[in-house]
Amino acid sequence: MEAWIRARVTLALTLFALLFFVSRSSPPRQFVISNAERRIDLSSHIINVHLTLKVENTGTRPASEVVLALTPTEVDHLAMVDALAIKGKRKKTTSVHLEVKPTELPDAPPIDAKYFTIYLADPLNSGESTTLEVLYVFMHFLEPFPAEIAQSESQLVFYHDTALILSPYHIKQQTTFIKTPSTKVESFIRVEPTNRVGTEIKYGPYEDCPPYSISPIHVHFENNSPFAVVEELVQEIEISHWGNIQVTEHYTLVHAGARHKGVFSRVDYQSRQFSNGASSFRYLLARLPARVHSVYYRDEIGNISSSHLRTNSLKSELEIEPRYPLFGGWKATFVIGYGLPLQDFLFESSDDKRYLNFTFGCPLIGMVVDKLTIKVVLPEGSTDPSPVVPFPVEHRLEAKYSSLDVIGRTVVVLEKKNFVPMHNSHFQVYYTFNPIFMLAEPLMLASAFFMFFVACVAYIHIDLSIRK
Amino acid sequence: MAAPETSTAAVPTLYTNNTLRNAFGGVLSFFILLLIGVLAFSIRLFSVIKYESVIHEFDPYFNYRVTQFLTKKGIYEFWNWFDDRTWYPLGRVIGGTVYPGLTLTAGTIWWLLNSLNIPLSVETVCVFTAPIFSAFASWATYLLTKEVKGAGAGLTAAVLLAMVPSYISRSVAGSYDNEAVAIFALIFTFYLYLKTLNTGSLFYATLNSLAYFYMVCSWGGYTFIINLIPMHVLLCIVTGRYSSRLYIAYAPLVVLGTLLAALVPVVGFNAVMTSEHFASFLVFIIIHVVAFVYHIKGILSPKMFKVAVTLVVTVGLAVCCAVIAVLIALVASSPTKGWSGRSLSLLDPTYASKYIPIIASVSEHQPPTWPSYFMDINVLAFLVPAGIIACFLPLSDASSFIVLYIATSVYFSGVMVRLMLVLAPAACITSGIALSEAFDVLTGSIKFQLPGVTSNAEVDAGETSSDTSEAQTDEVKAEKPDDTSKNRPSKKSKKKERELAENPPAKATAKAKAKAEKKRLLALPLEASVISLLLLVVLGAFYVVHSVWAAAEAYSAPSIVLTTRSRDGLHVFDDFREAYAWLSHNTDVNDKVASWWDYGYQTTAMANRTVIVDNNTWNNTHIATVGTAMSSPERAAWEIFHSLDVKYVLVVFGGLIGYPSDDINKFLWMVRIGGGVFPHIKEPDYLRDGQYRIDSQATPTMLNCLMYKLSYYRFVETDGKAYDRVRRTEIGKKYFKLTHFEEVFTTHHWMVRIYKLKPLKNRIRGKAKKSKSKTSSTSSSKRSGTKKKNPWL
């Protein structure tokens, strides 16, 4: 319920902010970034960029909108952006979640860029400063080079970026740290001062960079972490008021790293595990809710026998292995299904509605999903479905007919593109349902049998013969 | 086993008692039949419980694929389906070359369920079609045996059929093959034939031809019906049992049945053209002649009749000779004398091994061994003779049919293991009759000798199934319409019975008394009957135990996934599906995959890739081409495959884990079939001391052939010695390289290995000039198979 109100409030705030922005669209140039620190984590194929900005208002008026700039390529691969305001000093810091929205700047900047605006909770008065923490998550951003590798080779990738942070503001001092998964770095472009220690490359500190200053760099390094990508995940959550929630997940999995080239030799793969197929992967781990039951793992040609399920009172872990190890470019499809007790996920709200509270996300750990579709199949006879999701998704309604349905079940379809594990959060679907509908199908069956017996009795007692 | 069905001799005083007994008996038989159905269904579910709900073996995958197509595209698309995924580059017209009964049945079930909004997948429906139809088959057996020897024998036969191992082997859940529904159709057709024969009703005759039509749709084994029924008709005529009922049972079947059969595309004009159907037409003519003679005999006086006979016989003989001569000439003009290869191999068991290695190579076409009889029909083998004797006591039209059925099916099962399936119902029926009769006699004599039993019970004991059958034969001879209709266990007959029962009470009591007297004479000593009863029960128990064991252990393995039990639990070998899944996801959708024909159906169904040959062995040359490629050296094989547009070659190899039915063990058939068409493949080249060997004694041809190389490529690196666990030896040539093929995938346990054809190498400068003159000749002489030196190296 709280989440519901919060969502409404945020929606109202957003609308208000948008209106506000449209009414005064002058560039907010009154900020100066006194210190910026960027930490880029390249250890997997999901790239996390932590940006710590110390923003100072040098203008005359109070202002509450800080603009971030990203290159168009970055925006194409951006899965999520998140901002926090840090308050307090030293150890007693608290962080406040801030609203971030994509925006357009009216005056043509000297460089092609896309913008996001952070809306500060309290306007920053002239001369004051605040610390913002921004998290960017990028996917499909590492470019394998060479694009095709043989079984024994390890995977090298390019990371492109700029040594100077792209920003519409003047940055007084900035530093960038790039963390690579191993010490094997083929090459990287130096922009002095540049320093490489172990798995970390440090660019900077650079002093007094004017707005929109860039300095392209690339890092070419070894990254053998599995580039497991779910191209499409369709999750179907079917609610039965008889006490069960049935979840069926259809996966299309692909290894999005450097493509496999030439021979796949099983003998090499089995005997020399470390030097061979270093970038391939075999095991996947799915974290399922506690009290999960009747779990199955199969594909279109039958059961896949290589899986293990571990359950305890808090969570269940399903370790699965696709039919074959996945090398670069190889695909696999499979289905995971399980049942869950209804009372853990379905609740009644105060206004006589019911709601499903479920995790929006992919149970496979560390998985990027290009297109995630969640279908919530409500029981037959339920009305007024309304989903509440903490981030923007496309949603629509469908109908589905299953097990002796007459009028069909309402299906709430939610679609999200570019899903990363950081998105994992709960969502709710509210609906009204009259429990009398639960009895519809048993009654139907009973009456059908009754009719059948009546017909039998009638047949026995009616003499249809012409001759007496 | 005393089944209280319609008792003909009803005494007025016993009247209320009897109706109660009838009602009770009817309900009881109904529930017993229901339980038999449940038993037949559930005994076949071992495969689903032990493994999973999956299609088994090879042919069912094809049927499954066809059903998928049918459910997706509809019936009209199905009839016109030209499948370009098989027999590349020939393709196959599926709609015109399959028996559509099974797929249409499963498709209808699926459609029905889906229109009721019960969302079952096509696969689930296919998996459970066979168990459902075996329940139907056991009910049909009940009906059939009831026509012969009464309800008691019917129930016994139905129980036996529900769990006969031979039938279980073809109808476990997942074994989605034609036989699954065909056995039901076969028994049901026979039932309707006998029903028509007993009643003389044209209604049943029409139903009979419809059932025959369903059988023709379902299985090529329909020729058994269309030969067995004429044989029986002929037998009846010869033994002087001709009646109008026989005519009604036979003539409509031939006319309607043949017309309907010709509607099935795969049969078409074969229904009138081939020799398999010839017998039915001949008997059709004979029965008309006989009917005519009987008719004339009825009209004319005996003296006139004799004159007519001499006249007709002289004219008739001349005409007949002429007709037969023409027919023989027609038949003889076709190369196989109008018989298909499989039918010929039935008549002459050595035919296939002499002329058609492709039929001989299939294990289910081999003659069975004695243990396989015991395995497949178990104690029924001992009960069958007793049943045959019971059929002769007394011999009716129906029981003579059963005798003929069992005699012919024993012969056919002796020719081909596969036809054990036809024997199984016959064995069940005769054993059911035997058991039922034995129980009848034994319980009858026990009842008779127990002191506490009243005389009333004695009369009851007299009214057991043997009584009914006896009464039946009486009626059959009497041929009164009233009597025959009384035989029908319907509500109408009961009404008639009521009238009858009131009329001749005195006669009935006298009859019953005579019966009781007769019984007293026939009674066995009490101890002997009790012991024999116990022995029979033990025999039955042994059968049940064996059947359950066979269903659980022997016949439930899907063969697509293998398991072994080791000390640390169950180990699963799922390599086939691993390979097929890999092919399906990681190769182009139009790539062609070559493998030995066993894996063709599975590759098209599971991997959705085009194959060169598959399990439908209609084109010997094409299979021989693949066999030749597999037995040729690498370069020649590459050329053959390249000319067929093949991109991947799939071989099955069991040497690492000891899976015996792999390609090396099937290799002799590749050589034989290949050599049969392409004479440059000579079997002796591969043999050392008359054996196929792959160890150090192997011939160089063997060690250089493609199959050897693809199977054992880099095998030595697994254990250092290259020990083949199937052949139990170290292989002959351990270190070699492949020049024209590259390994692209090998499954976890090495059971399936997939190789890709390497593209032609770019010409190396310098060498190019030398071989320039040669290139044109080699590219044109593809498939020549001559061992030319590779110009590209």
Side-chain angles (χ1 to χ4, degrees):
Chain A
M1 201 55 233
E2 197 188 46
W4 170 236
I5 291 167
R6 204 175 61 203
R8 277 196 169 165
V9 168
T10 39
L11 197 73
L13 271 180
T14 322
L15 281 174
F16 178 69
L18 270 172
L19 278 173
F20 185 68
F21 179 73
V22 169
S23 63
R24 57 166 296 272
S25 53
S26 66
R29 280 290 166 76
Q30 63 265 58
F31 289 112
V32 163
I33 294 168
S34 53
N35 188 12
E37 187 189 275
R38 188 165 57 149
R39 290 186 176 275
I40 303 170
D41 183 5
L42 300 179
S43 54
S44 75
H45 65 305
I46 303 171
I47 298 170
N48 296 322
V49 178
H50 287 275
L51 192 62
T52 313
L53 300 172
K54 197 166 181 204
V55 184
E56 195 182 333
N57 190 350
T58 54
T60 50
R61 286 177 299 177
S64 64
E65 290 170 19
V66 182
V67 176
L68 303 170
L70 288 174
T71 62
T73 16
E74 282 175 327
V75 173
D76 286 346
H77 296 107
L78 184 71
M80 72 180 287
V81 52
D82 202 17
L84 296 171
I86 306 294
K87 290 196 174 156
K89 289 200 172 160
R90 301 285 161 194
K91 285 174 184 172
K92 286 182 277 176
T93 55
T94 51
S95 56
V96 181
H97 198 266
L98 298 175
E99 186 72 16
V100 186
K101 285 271 158 195
T103 48
E104 300 276 333
L105 287 191
D107 59 337
I111 189 165
D112 191 18
K114 303 250 170 135
Y115 302 94
F116 287 85
T117 307
I118 304 175
Y119 298 93
L120 300 179
D122 312 307
L124 204 60
N125 289 324
S126 172
E128 278 184 351
S129 68
T130 186
T131 309
L132 298 177
E133 272 205 3
V134 182
L135 168 71
Y136 297 114
V137 180
F138 298 105
M139 50 194 274
H140 299 308
F141 200 53
L142 296 176
E143 182 200 345
F145 188 84
E148 287 192 339
I149 54 169
Q151 189 180 352
S152 56
E153 291 168 347
S154 63
Q155 177 172 270
L156 299 174
V157 292
F158 263 127
Y159 174 71
H160 298 277
D161 203 351
T162 132
L164 303 174
I165 299 166
L166 182 66
S167 172
Y169 306 114
H170 187 87
I171 302 176
K172 282 182 180 162
Q173 192 190 28
Q174 58 170 309
T175 330
T176 296
F177 299 93
I178 297 180
K179 190 169 170 289
T180 54
S182 68
T183 53
K184 283 186 189 161
V185 176
E186 292 282 306
S187 67
F188 62 97
I189 286 180
R190 290 179 171 272
V191 180
E192 292 305 335
T194 304
N195 189 16
R196 183 184 158 212
V197 181
T199 60
E200 198 169 69
I201 303 168
K202 181 183 174 191
Y203 285 94
Y206 306 111
E207 310 278 339
D208 282 327
C209 305
Y212 300 113
S213 50
I214 54 165
S215 161
I217 53 163
H218 71 242
V219 186
H220 191 204
F221 62 101
E222 183 192 68
N223 187 343
N224 276 330
S225 74
F227 278 37
V229 174
V230 177
E231 283 191 329
E232 191 174 3
L233 167 61
V234 180
Q235 190 181 40
E236 195 177 270
I237 304 163
E238 191 164 346
I239 303 167
S240 159
H241 278 259
W242 291 97
N244 189 38
I245 291 181
Q246 184 64 40
V247 184
T248 319
E249 293 161 354
H250 298 261
Y251 290 88
T252 312
L253 188 72
V254 68
H255 187 302
R259 291 185 65 81
H260 178 72
K261 172 178 76 178
V263 173
F264 166 69
S265 166
R266 181 64 74 165
V267 67
D268 286 341
Y269 183 73
Q270 279 172 336
S271 57
R272 290 177 276 277
Q273 286 273 356
F274 292 101
S275 62
N276 261 284
S279 65
S280 71
F281 59 92
R282 272 175 78 182
Y283 298 100
L284 300 168
L285 193 67
R287 190 159 288 150
L288 304 177
R291 299 176 61 191
V292 70
H293 63 86
S294 27
V295 181
Y296 64 85
Y297 168 50
R298 52 175 292 143
D299 64 3
E300 60 265 37
I301 54 174
N303 195 28
I304 307 173
S305 35
S306 43
S307 59
H308 301 281
L309 179 69
R310 288 182 289 271
T311 49
N312 60 31
S313 57
L314 293 174
K315 62 172 194 296
S316 314
E317 278 187 336
L318 178 70
E319 191 187 71
I320 59 175
E321 197 181 325
R323 287 197 186 273
Y324 40 86
L326 268 92
F327 281 79
W330 287 11
K331 281 187 181 180
T333 58
F334 55 89
V335 181
I336 298 176
Y338 46 92
L340 294 167
L342 187 73
Q343 64 268 28
D344 292 6
F345 299 94
L346 196 78
F347 308 95
E348 264 183 72
S349 67
S350 52
D351 55 344
D352 236 19
K353 280 192 151 192
R354 286 149 210 272
Y355 69 94
L356 171 84
N357 187 29
F358 208 78
T359 315
F360 195 103
C362 168
L364 291 182
I365 289 171
M367 201 63 72
V368 164
V369 185
D370 288 354
K371 188 184 172 196
L372 172 65
T373 311
I374 294 186
K375 295 182 172 179
V376 182
V377 183
L378 301 175
E380 195 178 22
S382 45
T383 45
D384 319 323
S386 60
V388 177
V389 190
F391 42 83
V393 291
E394 287 178 35
H395 86 98
R396 62 173 194 275
L397 293 182
E398 277 179 3
K400 185 195 173 188
Y401 293 89
S402 96
S403 61
L404 298 169
D405 285 350
V406 178
I407 51 173
R409 305 180 180 206
T410 317
V411 184
V412 181
V413 185
L414 307 168
E415 276 184 3
K416 169 96 182 106
K417 295 220 166 93
N418 290 356
F419 182 90
V420 286
M422 295 78 187
H423 278 117
N424 269 348
S425 57
H426 287 277
F427 75 102
Q428 293 80 32
V429 176
Y430 289 82
Y431 64 96
T432 7
F433 178 72
N434 191 347
I436 200 80
F437 280 105
M438 284 166 71
L439 294 175
E441 275 154 21
L443 282 178
M444 223 160 66
L445 269 184
S447 49
F449 269 100
F450 180 70
M451 294 306 285
F452 174 71
F453 285 127
V454 166
C456 283
V457 169
Y459 175 74
I460 285 169
H461 286 272
I462 294 170
D463 191 355
L464 291 171
S465 62
I466 302 166
R467 211 162 29 127
K468 284 287 168 193
Chain B
M1 282 298 144
E5 262 297 316
T6 51
S7 55
T8 46
V11 191
T13 48
L14 292 175
Y15 171 63
T16 46
N17 194 7
N18 262 332
T19 31
L20 251 181
R21 251 188 67 183
N22 283 339
F24 181 68
V27 170
L28 197 66
S29 335
F30 177 77
F31 277 104
I32 290 171
L33 278 177
L34 207 66
L35 285 178
I36 288 171
V38 171
L39 170 73
F41 182 79
S42 51
I43 201 172
R44 285 163 171 84
L45 298 188
F46 276 109
S47 60
V48 171
I49 292 160
K50 286 180 72 179
Y51 293 89
E52 56 180 288
S53 168
V54 73
I55 308 283
H56 289 199
E57 309 242 331
F58 304 105
D59 286 19
Y61 267 99
F62 170 73
N63 297 326
Y64 169 51
R65 183 161 161 262
V66 176
T67 316
Q68 270 182 322
F69 185 90
L70 173 71
T71 51
K72 221 177 282 166
K73 300 277 177 74
I75 181 87
Y76 290 104
E77 290 269 334
F78 165 69
W79 289 124
N80 297 323
W81 183 19
F82 177 78
D83 184 11
D84 57 355
R85 299 249 132 192
T86 56
W87 291 95
Y88 183 83
L90 309 170
R92 177 182 174 190
V93 186
I94 299 280
T97 54
V98 290
Y99 287 99
L102 178 74
T103 38
L104 289 180
T105 309
T108 314
I109 296 175
W110 180 86
W111 174 82
L112 206 71
L113 288 174
N114 267 266
S115 55
L116 287 174
N117 281 332
I118 299 171
L120 285 182
S121 67
V122 179
E123 190 187 6
T124 315
V125 173
C126 293
V127 165
F128 292 103
T129 301
I132 290 170
F133 270 79
S134 34
F136 291 169
S138 51
W139 292 334
T141 311
Y142 164 75
L143 293 172
L144 171 59
T145 320
K146 200 177 132 206
E147 285 306 310
V148 183
K149 283 282 174 186
L155 288 175
T156 324
V159 174
L160 293 177
L161 186 101
M163 50 187 179
V164 63
S166 169
Y167 186 30
I168 286 178
S169 73
R170 288 317 188 102
S171 64
V172 290
S175 175
Y176 178 57
D177 213 345
N178 287 337
E179 288 92 332
V181 298
I183 292 302
F184 158 71
L186 180 89
I187 300 172
F188 199 62
T189 313
F190 286 157
Y191 155 66
L192 285 171
Y193 171 68
L194 290 188
K195 185 81 187 172
T196 325
L197 197 58
N198 281 344
T199 57
S201 151
L202 205 52
F203 171 68
Y204 285 113
T206 320
L207 281 188
N208 188 18
S209 40
L210 285 177
Y212 172 67
F213 174 55
Y214 185 66
M215 177 71 194
V216 177
C217 281
S218 307
W219 195 32
Y222 74 92
T223 45
F224 181 63
I225 295 184
I226 206 64
N227 284 305
L228 183 65
I229 290 180
M231 272 164 78
H232 178 244
V233 171
L234 204 62
L235 185 80
C236 285
I237 293 170
V238 168
T239 52
R241 287 174 165 270
Y242 172 81
S243 64
S244 56
R245 288 172 291 106
L246 187 70
Y247 182 83
I248 289 170
Y250 186 67
L253 173 70
V254 172
V255 177
L256 279 178
T258 307
L259 281 176
L260 288 170
L263 292 181
V264 183
V266 63
V267 178
F269 279 105
N270 284 351
V272 283
M273 305 273 278
T274 57
S275 301
E276 280 96 340
H277 306 80
F278 183 66
S280 65
F281 299 124
L282 191 70
V283 174
F284 186 68
I285 296 167
I286 292 172
I287 200 171
H288 276 96
V289 171
V290 172
F292 184 68
V293 169
Y294 270 82
H295 182 69
I296 299 292
K297 204 176 179 180
I299 303 171
L300 300 177
S301 63
K303 206 175 181 182
M304 285 291 282
F305 181 69
K306 262 186 186 166
V307 176
V309 164
T310 40
L311 195 76
V312 167
V313 162
T314 41
V315 176
L317 265 181
V319 173
C320 273
C321 285
V323 168
I324 287 169
V326 167
L327 275 177
I328 286 173
L330 271 178
V331 167
S333 65
S334 80
T336 57
K337 312 277 181 287
W339 293 81
S340 69
R342 269 178 210 181
S343 311
L344 264 185
S345 62
L346 273 185
L347 297 180
D348 174 11
T350 56
Y351 177 81
S353 51
K354 266 190 275 179
Y355 301 107
I356 323 172
I358 212 149
I359 291 183
S361 78
V362 183
S363 62
E364 62 185 24
H365 292 161
Q366 311 290 343
T369 50
W370 284 113
S372 73
Y373 274 98
F374 187 73
M375 177 70 201
D376 275 0
I377 57 171
N378 200 245
V379 303
L380 304 187
F382 310 121
L383 290 170
V384 163
I388 293 174
I389 292 168
C391 282
F392 278 102
L393 301 169
L395 189 69
S396 64
D397 289 351
S399 63
S400 66
F401 179 75
I402 295 300
V403 173
L404 197 65
Y405 177 21
I406 185 92
T408 44
S409 60
V410 164
Y411 168 74
F412 286 134
S413 72
V415 178
M416 260 190 209
V417 179
R418 185 180 169 171
L419 293 175
M420 195 75 96
L421 202 57
V422 177
L423 170 70
C428 288
I429 292 161
T430 42
S431 315
I433 291 169
L435 268 183
S436 170
E437 295 283 305
F439 269 104
D440 201 18
V441 169
L442 295 174
T443 48
S445 41
I446 290 175
K447 237 180 197 175
F448 197 79
Q449 288 171 10
L450 281 184
V453 183
T454 59
S455 62
N456 206 346
E458 280 167 34
V459 179
D460 284 358
E463 291 167 1
T464 44
S465 56
S466 71
D467 183 20
T468 32
S469 65
E470 218 164 288
Q472 256 179 36
T473 49
D474 285 351
E475 289 149 19
V476 165
K477 276 175 188 155
E479 257 185 52
K480 280 180 197 164
D482 269 4
D483 275 6
T484 43
S485 69
K486 194 169 66 178
N487 195 22
R488 264 182 269 174
S490 64
K491 48 179 178 154
K492 284 155 211 163
S493 69
K494 278 176 199 160
K495 274 179 196 164
K496 288 234 175 71
E497 191 185 299
R498 205 177 298 160
E499 294 157 19
L500 261 174
E502 282 157 15
N503 289 334
K507 190 182 153 197
T509 32
K511 201 177 171 186
K513 266 184 190 165
K515 280 266 162 61
E517 201 62 36
K518 206 172 150 198
K519 272 279 158 197
R520 190 166 290 140
L521 294 172
L522 281 175
L524 292 166
L526 183 66
E527 297 78 18
S529 1
V530 171
I531 288 167
S532 343
L533 259 187
L534 281 177
L535 284 177
L536 278 183
V537 169
V538 168
L539 195 71
F542 185 70
Y543 175 73
V544 171
V545 169
H546 173 82
S547 301
V548 172
W549 172 82
E553 300 292 331
Y555 292 134
S556 286
S559 92
I560 189 81
V561 46
L562 314 165
T563 55
T564 53
R565 271 198 199 91
S566 59
R567 263 171 291 146
D568 49 332
L570 203 68
H571 198 81
V572 181
F573 299 94
D574 204 356
D575 285 37
F576 285 110
R577 286 191 296 192
E578 183 183 343
Y580 294 134
W582 184 86
L583 273 178
S584 122
H585 291 300
N586 301 310
T587 58
D588 187 75
V589 76
N590 289 319
D591 284 344
K592 280 85 190 169
V593 181
S595 65
W596 188 233
W597 58 270
D598 293 22
Y599 313 104
Y601 279 164
Q602 291 184 346
T603 311
T604 42
M606 281 196 266
N608 190 23
R609 291 295 171 270
T610 310
V611 296
I612 305 300
V613 290
D614 69 21
N615 307 46
N616 174 42
T617 51
W618 63 273
N619 189 326
N620 199 17
T621 319
H622 222 48
I623 292 178
T625 311
V626 174
T628 309
M630 291 294 189
S631 32
S632 303
E634 218 187 320
R635 170 75 199 184
W638 186 89
E639 273 170 5
I640 293 173
F641 281 140
H642 189 69
S643 70
L644 285 169
D645 219 1
V646 168
K647 198 129 180 227
Y648 297 94
V649 180
L650 179 150
V651 294
V652 173
F653 170 64
L656 185 74
I657 51 151
Y659 170 65
S661 50
D662 66 348
D663 277 349
I664 293 284
N665 274 4
K666 289 172 184 168
F667 187 61
L668 85 149
W669 295 111
M670 301 183 203
V671 173
R672 254 176 230 177
I673 295 170
V677 178
F678 302 100
H680 69 272
I681 301 289
K682 295 179 193 70
E683 200 178 354
D685 292 349
Y686 298 85
L687 295 174
R688 176 82 70 193
D689 310 329
Q691 276 184 19
Y692 282 87
R693 303 182 70 150
I694 44 92
D695 55 4
S696 47
Q697 299 291 308
T699 60
T701 325
M702 180 79 197
L703 294 181
N704 280 317
C705 75
L706 186 70
M707 181 47 74
Y708 179 88
K709 284 194 164 179
L710 297 191
S711 290
Y712 294 113
Y713 178 61
R714 297 188 75 182
F715 179 52
V716 67
E717 290 173 49
T718 51
D719 59 352
K721 288 192 310 231
Y723 181 78
D724 186 323
R725 283 183 180 74
V726 176
R727 267 66 58 179
R728 296 176 189 280
T729 171
E730 280 184 31
I731 62 171
K733 193 166 152 191
K734 295 176 185 175
Y735 299 94
F736 54 85
K737 283 195 171 146
L738 294 173
T739 39
H740 301 288
F741 293 85
E742 63 178 7
E743 182 186 12
V744 286
F745 191 73
T746 297
T747 56
H748 189 242
H749 302 100
W750 289 58
M751 275 167 64
V752 185
R753 310 193 71 181
I754 301 169
Y755 293 84
K756 191 176 181 179
L757 268 75
K758 275 190 193 168
L760 287 173
K761 273 196 183 140
N762 284 334
R763 274 181 241 178
I764 304 157
R765 224 185 301 152
K767 279 195 175 184
K769 271 181 197 164
K770 237 194 283 175
S771 59
K772 213 171 189 178
S773 54
K774 258 187 165 181
T775 46
S776 58
S777 64
T778 41
S779 59
S780 64
S781 66
K782 277 173 193 169
R783 222 193 280 197
S784 63
T786 48
K787 280 183 237 167
K788 267 183 195 144
K789 209 158 181 259
N790 188 353
W792 310 113
L793 291 176

